Amino acid sequence: MKVRKIPMSQEKRIALVAHDNKKQDLLEWVRFNRDLLARHVLYATGTTGEILEMELGREVRKFQSGPLGGDQQIGAKIVDGEIDFLVFFWDPLEPLPHDPDIKALLRLAVVWNIPVACNRASADLWRENTTGWCPTTRPIRSGGSDCSYLKKRRRWRR
């Protein structure tokens, strides 16, 4: 299996997403990491982006709200190699009508080998790594994923 490396600059492109019950947690994390985040390009979905712009006093590139396609827009950016890190504070205890979109976004992050932080503890681990070692490439399988098993599944359905 071929592995190719996607180059990453020191300035990371970070997508920030938070469900309603987790927006306060993300806001607190962003406040604490304001200086670190100032060195990176920030993306966010709808309301989260507006809240972050007010808090940080700087531009946050905003997509639609998650249920209106924002999660899918971030997924497309991941596929295009335009997102380096996903901070996604989601609420596992809250039923969500756009759950398939959320799963699709997380699946794309895994397929394209994007680091994902789903809570403060994992986001803090990323922060600790950025103060020292910071990768300049991200390995992925050629084509993004080994999809040979999908071809076999299609044959089984015939």
Side-chain angles (χ1 to χ4, degrees), residues 16-104:
L16 300 161
V17 183
H19 289 155
D20 289 342
N21 293 342
K22 297 294 181 174
K23 286 192 190 323
Q24 189 60 39
D25 290 345
L26 181 63
L27 189 57
E28 289 172 12
W29 185 82
V30 164
R31 280 183 190 131
F32 187 79
N33 294 289
R34 176 187 304 267
D35 294 337
L36 173 66
L37 294 172
R39 298 183 298 211
H40 303 287
V41 178
L42 304 180
Y43 296 84
T45 53
T47 308
T48 302
E50 291 174 15
I51 292 168
L52 295 176
E53 272 188 338
M54 286 189 296
E55 177 63 32
L56 296 172
R58 62 170 280 208
E59 179 192 13
V60 174
R61 298 176 186 180
K62 294 182 290 299
F63 298 108
Q64 294 292 323
S65 173
L68 298 177
D71 296 333
Q72 292 176 345
Q73 288 176 303
I74 291 176
K77 289 284 189 191
I78 288 172
V79 171
D80 289 341
E82 297 178 25
I83 297 291
D84 299 311
F85 180 50
L86 173 62
V87 178
F88 190 177
F89 286 13
W90 58 283
D91 188 352
L93 302 177
E94 187 71 26
L96 301 162
H98 67 292
D99 192 53
D101 296 339
I102 296 162
K103 288 181 181 172

Side-chain angles (χ1 to χ4, degrees), residues 123-143:
D124 287 344
L125 285 173
W126 172 79
R127 183 196 67 226
E128 293 302 318
N129 277 333
T130 60
T131 57
W133 173 82
C134 193
T136 57
T137 61
R138 176 171 46 86
I140 64 163
R141 297 177 184 144
S142 290

